[in-house]
C-alpha cells in the first residue's frame, strides 16, 4: 500500500472554507470581542461610553429676535421672518452652532419649552466615523437663550431723519373721511407694509420709507385709487468725491382733489358745457380715479378726469358738515330712473321748523326709490346760505342757469340711531401712526385743550365714516369688515332693547371676516 506524501491531510472538526477568527478581550472591560472587526480593541458598549463624536459642538447658544417686527437675526446682518418651531427657525438654530459642519446631521427637532421661559431646546442626531469602518451615531440636546435686539429697520422707525424717502399725502378739506377710506384700502392691499413710520400731519399723512422704490410703489397705488397730482424733490445728503457716489433723500408730494362724496359743487360754466352740457350746480356722486358729478334735477352724470380738474381747478360749494335735516311731507316719482337712482318731486320742511311755522320747499331729488312720506333726509338749504364763490355767482347771473337753482338739494336719507357705536357687531382695522402737533404752545394747558378738541374731531369723523359704511353697500364691497369678538351677553341684551327703535341699516354677518391675527394672539 502506497501513500502520497504531498497530499493535504484533512483536519478533523474544521471546514476548509470557514474563515479563521481571533477572539480577544476588550482592553477596557475585558469582554470577549472579535479581534478582526473590533474598533481599537474596544467593545461596542465601551465605544459608546468612551468616544464622543459631538465633542467640539456647542451645547449652548444665543438667538436674537426683534420684539417689534418679530424677526430673527441670521448672522451676519440679515433678519428673517420665522414662526415658532418652524423649519426656518430650525435652520437658524443649526447655523448658530460651531463645529456642526464637521459631522453628518441625521435628524433635528424642537423640544417643547414654556413660551415665557425665553429658552429654545433642539434635539440633534449626528453620525461620524470614529475608526476605520466604524460609524458612531449620537443624539444630544442644545439649549438656546432668546435675547431681544432691535433690528436696523425698527431702529429707523424710532429715530428721526433716518428715512430715505417720504411721501406727503395732503387733502385740504375740513374732515378726514378720504384718509379713513384710503387707510382701509391700504390695509386691504398691504400698501403700508414697507413703511418705516407713519405720522399724522395737518391736512394729511406722512409715510416714511427706507428705500425710494418703496415710496414709488405707494404713489402708484394712490394714483390708481384716487384722483391726485404728484411732485418730487431730492436733497443731497452726502457725496464721495473719490467714487462719485451720492446719497439723496427724496420727498414725494401727493395732493388729493379737495372734493369728497356728497359735496355740493359749482362748476365753471365753460367746463360744464364741455362735460356734456351738464348743469353747473351738481352733487359729487362718487370719487374714484375721476370725480363723478350728478345733476339731482335730471340724473345726468359727468366724470371730471384728474388732468381736466388740475387745468381748471374749482372748490366745493358746501361739504357734509353743512347738511341740514328735512322731513318729507310729500313725494311722487316722475318715472325717470338711472340704476338705483329714481327721480322724484318732493315737498320738504326743515325739521327745526316743525311746530313753529308751515314753511315748505319744493324740490327734485334722485332718492325717489328710498324716500317715503315722513322720512328724514339731509340736504343743503340754498335759500338761507350765502356762498362766497365766483362760480356760483356766475350761475346766479346767468340767464340760462339762474332759474334752475333749487331752494333745497337733498343728499341722503337720515337714519335715527339709538345704539352706541361700541355696540356694533363689526369693526375696522386701523394703522398705527403718530400724531405730529405743529403748533407749539407756550403753556401746558393749551396743548391739552387742543389735543382734546382734535381727538373729539377725529372721533366724529370716524363715526361719520362708519355710518357711511353701514349705509352704502357699494362702499362696503371695497373694504374688509371684521367681526367684533368677545361681546358680553349683557351688552347683547341691551342691544336688542336699543335696536327696537333703530332705523339704521344693519350689516349681515355674511359680509364680515374673522380676524385670524386676534385668534392667534389669544392662542398664544
Amino acid at each position: 500500500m502506497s501513500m502520497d506524501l504531498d497530499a493535504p491531510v484533512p483536519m478533523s472538526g474544521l471546514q476548509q472554507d470557514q474563515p479563521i477568527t481571533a477572539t480577544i478581550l476588550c482592553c477596557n472591560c475585558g469582554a470577549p470581542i472579535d479581534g478582526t472587526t473590533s474598533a481599537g480593541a474596544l467593545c461596542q458598549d465601551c465605544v459608546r461610553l468612551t468616544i464622543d463624536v459631538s465633542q467640539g459642538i456647542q451645547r449652548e447658544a444665543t438667538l436674537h429676535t426683534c420684539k417689534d417686527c418679530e424677526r430673527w437675526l441670521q448672522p451676519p446682518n440679515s433678519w428673517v421672518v420665522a414662526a415658532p418651531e418652524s423649519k426656518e427657525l430650525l435652520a437658524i438654530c443649526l447655523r448658530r452652532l460651531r463645529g456642526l459642519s464637521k459631522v453628518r446631521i441625521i435628524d433635528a427637532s424642537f423640544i417643547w419649552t414654556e413660551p415665557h421661559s425665553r429658552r429654545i431646546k433642539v434635539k440633534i442626531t449626528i453620525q461620524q466615523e470614529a475608526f476605520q469602518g466604524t460609524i458612531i451615531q449620537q443624539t444630544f440636546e442644545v439649549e438656546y437663550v432668546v435675547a431681544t435686539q432691535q433690528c436696523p429697520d425698527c431702529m429707523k422707525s424710532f429715530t428721526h431723519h433716518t428715512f430715505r424717502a417720504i411721501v406727503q399725502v395732503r387733502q385740504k378739506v375740513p374732515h378726514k373721511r378720504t384718509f379713513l377710506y384710503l387707510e382701509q384700502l391700504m390695509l386691504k392691499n398691504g400698501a403700508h407694509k414697507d413703511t418705516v413710520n407713519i405720522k399724522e400731519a395737518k391736512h394729511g399723512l406722512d409715510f416714511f420709507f427706507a428705500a425710494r422704490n418703496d415710496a414709488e410703489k405707494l404713489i402708484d397705488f394712490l394714483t390708481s385709487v384716487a384722483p391726485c397730482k404728484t411732485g418730487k424733490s431730492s436733497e443731497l445728503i452726502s457725496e464721495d468725491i473719490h467714487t462719485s457716489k451720492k446719497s439723496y433723500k427724496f420727498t414725494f408730494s401727493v395732493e388729493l382733489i379737495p372734493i369728497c362724496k356728497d359735496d355740493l359743487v359749482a362748476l365753471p360754466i365753460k367746463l360744464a358745457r364741455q362735460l356734456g352740457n351738464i348743469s353747473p350746480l351738481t352733487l359729487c356722486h362718487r370719487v374714484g380715479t375721476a370725480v363723478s358729478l350728478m345733476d339731482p334735477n335730471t340724473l345726468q352724470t359727468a366724470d371730471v378726469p384728474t388732468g381736466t380738474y388740475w387745468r381748471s381747478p374749482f372748490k366745493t360749494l358746501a361739504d357734509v358738515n353743512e347738511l341740514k335735516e328735512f322731513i318729507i311731507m310729500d313725494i311722487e316719482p316722475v318715472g325717470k330712473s338711472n340704476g338705483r337712482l329714481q327721480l322724484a318731486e318732493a315737498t320738504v320742511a326743515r325739521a327745526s321748523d316743525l311746530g313753529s311755522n308751515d314753511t315748505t320747499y319744493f324740490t327734485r331729488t334722485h332718492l325717489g326709490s328710498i324716500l317715503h312720506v315722513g322720512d328724514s333726509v339731509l340736504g343743503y338749504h340754498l335759500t338761507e346760505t350765502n356762498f362766497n364763490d365766483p362760480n356760483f355767482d356766475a350761475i346766479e347771473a346767468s340767464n340760462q342757469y339762474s332759474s334752475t337753482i333749487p331752494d333745497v338739494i337733498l343728499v341722503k336719507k337720515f337714519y335715527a340711531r339709538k345704539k352706541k357705536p361700541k355696540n356694533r357687531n363689526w369693526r375696522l382695522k386701523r394703522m398705527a401712526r403718530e400724531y405730529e402737533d405743529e403748533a407749539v404752545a407756550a403753556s401746558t394747558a393749551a396743548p391739552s385743550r387742543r389735543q382734546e378738541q382734535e381727538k373729539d374731531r377725529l372721533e366724529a369723523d370716524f363715526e361719520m365714516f362708519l355710518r357711511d359704511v353701514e349705509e352704502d353697500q357699494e362702499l362696503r364691497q371695497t373694504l374688509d369688515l371684521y367681526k367684533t369678538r368677545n361681546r358680553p351677553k349683557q351688552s347683547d341684551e341691551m342691544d336688542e332693547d336699543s335696536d327696537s327703535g333703530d332705523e339704521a341699516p344693519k350689516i349681515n354677518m355674511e359680509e364680515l371676516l374673522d380676524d385670524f391675527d386676534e385668534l392667534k394672539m389669544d392662542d398664544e
Side-chain angles (χ1 to χ4, degrees):
M1 181 176 180
S2 63
M3 288 183 64
D4 188 359
L5 298 177
D6 296 332
V9 179
M11 299 176 63
S12 61
L14 292 177
Q15 297 181 359
Q16 297 182 5
D17 296 337
Q18 183 178 357
I20 299 176
T21 60
T23 301
I24 62 175
L25 300 179
C26 176
C27 64
N28 191 14
C29 63
I33 58 176
D34 187 1
T36 59
T37 60
S38 62
L42 294 174
C43 63
Q44 294 182 0
D45 296 334
C46 292
V47 168
R48 296 191 188 99
L49 294 176
T50 58
I51 298 179
D52 185 9
V53 295
S54 65
Q55 186 177 5
I57 301 177
Q58 286 181 275
R59 299 302 176 95
E60 294 182 354
T62 303
L63 296 177
H64 296 278
T65 180
C66 180
K67 295 176 64 176
D68 299 315
C69 61
E70 298 182 354
R71 294 187 298 176
W72 298 83
L73 174 61
Q74 181 173 321
N77 295 318
S78 61
W79 292 81
V80 297
V81 178
E85 298 190 4
S86 62
K87 60 180 182 180
E88 293 82 6
L89 182 58
L90 183 60
I92 296 174
C93 294
L94 296 179
R95 292 192 184 99
R96 295 288 294 175
L97 298 180
R98 292 192 303 268
L100 196 61
S101 60
K102 299 179 181 180
V103 298
R104 181 183 178 185
I105 302 175
I106 301 301
D107 187 23
S109 60
F110 287 99
I111 300 176
W112 186 85
T113 56
E114 292 287 347
H116 62 273
S117 64
R118 312 295 294 177
R119 297 293 187 273
I120 295 178
K121 291 185 179 181
V122 179
K123 183 174 69 174
I124 305 174
T125 303
I126 62 173
Q127 283 184 355
Q128 189 179 21
E129 186 177 7
F131 302 99
Q132 184 177 3
T134 302
I135 298 177
I136 298 177
Q137 179 172 313
Q138 189 174 351
T139 301
F140 60 96
E141 296 180 3
V142 180
E143 182 176 345
Y144 297 87
V145 179
V146 179
T148 58
Q149 178 180 342
Q150 203 171 35
C151 65
D153 294 336
C154 294
M155 288 182 184
K156 292 180 180 180
S157 64
F158 291 95
T159 307
H160 297 287
H161 309 298
T162 56
F163 58 91
R164 289 294 179 180
I166 177 176
V167 179
Q168 299 176 341
V169 186
R170 299 290 184 269
Q171 187 185 35
K172 296 181 180 180
V173 293
H175 54 80
K176 297 286 186 180
R177 294 170 59 204
T178 302
F179 289 100
L180 292 172
Y181 177 64
L182 289 178
E183 177 185 14
Q184 299 303 318
L185 290 181
M186 294 176 66
L187 287 170
K188 182 177 182 179
N189 297 276
H192 70 296
K193 61 182 180 180
D194 296 326
T195 55
V196 174
N197 194 9
I198 302 175
K199 285 188 177 181
E200 186 171 358
K202 186 177 181 180
H203 297 304
L205 297 173
D206 292 339
F207 298 89
F208 298 87
F209 295 91
R212 174 186 175 183
N213 296 336
D214 298 334
E216 292 177 346
K217 291 179 182 178
L218 178 61
I219 293 177
D220 294 339
F221 173 78
L222 293 176
T223 54
S224 64
V225 297
C228 56
K229 71 173 181 179
T230 61
K232 184 183 72 171
S233 63
S234 59
E235 177 185 359
L236 180 63
I237 301 175
S238 61
E239 180 180 4
D240 189 351
I241 60 175
H242 301 287
T243 60
S244 299
K245 291 184 178 180
K246 301 179 181 179
S247 179
Y248 290 92
K249 277 187 178 180
F250 298 92
T251 301
F252 299 90
S253 63
V254 179
E255 184 177 357
L256 302 176
I257 289 180
I259 300 176
C260 301
K261 184 183 177 182
D262 298 334
D263 287 352
L264 183 62
V265 178
L267 293 172
I269 296 179
K270 182 179 178 181
L271 179 61
R273 291 172 179 173
Q274 294 176 358
L275 298 175
N277 199 20
I278 192 175
S279 175
L281 194 60
T282 58
L283 281 175
C284 180
H285 180 57
R286 187 182 297 106
V287 178
T289 55
V291 179
S292 299
L293 303 177
M294 180 189 60
D295 181 10
N297 293 323
T298 61
L299 299 185
Q300 183 182 357
T301 59
D303 293 338
V304 182
T306 305
T308 303
Y309 175 83
W310 293 114
R311 282 193 295 269
S312 56
F314 51 89
K315 298 181 180 179
T316 58
L317 195 62
D319 55 36
V320 292
N321 296 325
E322 303 178 26
L323 291 173
K324 307 296 182 182
E325 183 181 356
F326 294 88
I327 304 298
I328 301 296
M329 309 302 294
D330 186 18
I331 187 169
E332 182 179 354
V334 296
K336 187 176 181 180
S337 62
N338 184 6
R340 295 190 309 160
L341 306 179
Q342 174 72 42
L343 188 62
E345 295 179 349
T347 302
V348 298
R350 287 196 58 174
S352 59
D353 294 341
L354 293 179
S356 60
N357 57 57
D358 298 332
T359 305
T360 58
Y361 304 94
F362 177 80
T363 185
R364 282 193 169 191
T365 179
H366 60 288
L367 305 174
S369 59
I370 61 175
L371 293 181
H372 304 86
V373 176
D375 289 346
S376 298
V377 62
L378 297 178
Y380 296 106
H381 198 181
L382 303 185
T383 57
E384 293 187 0
T385 307
N386 295 325
F387 299 105
N388 185 15
D389 188 272
N391 295 329
F392 186 74
D393 295 339
I395 295 172
E396 287 184 327
S398 174
N399 296 328
Q400 180 181 359
Y401 299 108
S402 60
S403 60
T404 61
I405 299 177
D407 296 333
V408 175
I409 295 181
L410 303 182
V411 178
K412 59 181 179 180
K413 186 177 180 180
F414 179 72
Y415 296 94
R417 298 174 183 269
K418 293 186 178 181
K419 70 175 183 179
K420 298 180 180 180
K422 63 181 180 180
N423 292 333
R424 288 189 173 97
N425 62 346
W426 60 276
R427 65 179 186 85
L428 295 173
K429 285 187 176 181
R430 302 297 304 275
M431 289 191 305
R433 56 178 180 240
E434 298 179 1
Y435 177 73
E436 183 177 2
D437 192 1
E438 297 181 353
V440 180
S443 62
T444 58
S448 62
R449 289 196 300 267
R450 175 186 174 87
Q451 291 177 0
E452 289 179 359
Q453 294 176 357
E454 185 69 16
K455 182 180 179 181
D456 294 340
R457 186 181 66 85
L458 293 177
E459 290 179 355
D461 291 342
F462 187 64
E463 175 63 21
M464 185 184 300
F465 178 71
L466 294 180
R467 294 184 179 184
D468 291 339
V469 173
E470 288 178 339
E471 298 171 5
D472 194 346
Q473 185 177 3
E474 294 182 358
L475 178 62
R476 292 201 300 269
Q477 294 177 356
T478 61
L479 307 179
D480 285 342
L481 308 182
Y482 295 91
K483 299 177 182 178
T484 300
R485 300 177 58 248
N486 300 328
R487 299 181 66 198
K489 296 182 179 179
Q490 183 178 1
S491 64
D492 293 340
E493 296 175 357
M494 295 174 61
D495 289 346
E496 294 178 359
D497 298 337
S498 61
D499 291 347
S500 58
D502 196 348
E503 300 177 0
K506 305 298 187 299
I507 297 180
N508 298 327
M509 296 298 293
E510 291 78 8
E511 302 181 35
L512 306 180
L513 303 175
D514 291 321
D515 192 356
F516 293 102
D517 295 337
E518 281 195 357
L519 292 174
K520 182 179 178 181
M521 294 175 61
D522 294 343
D523 294 339
E524 293 178 356

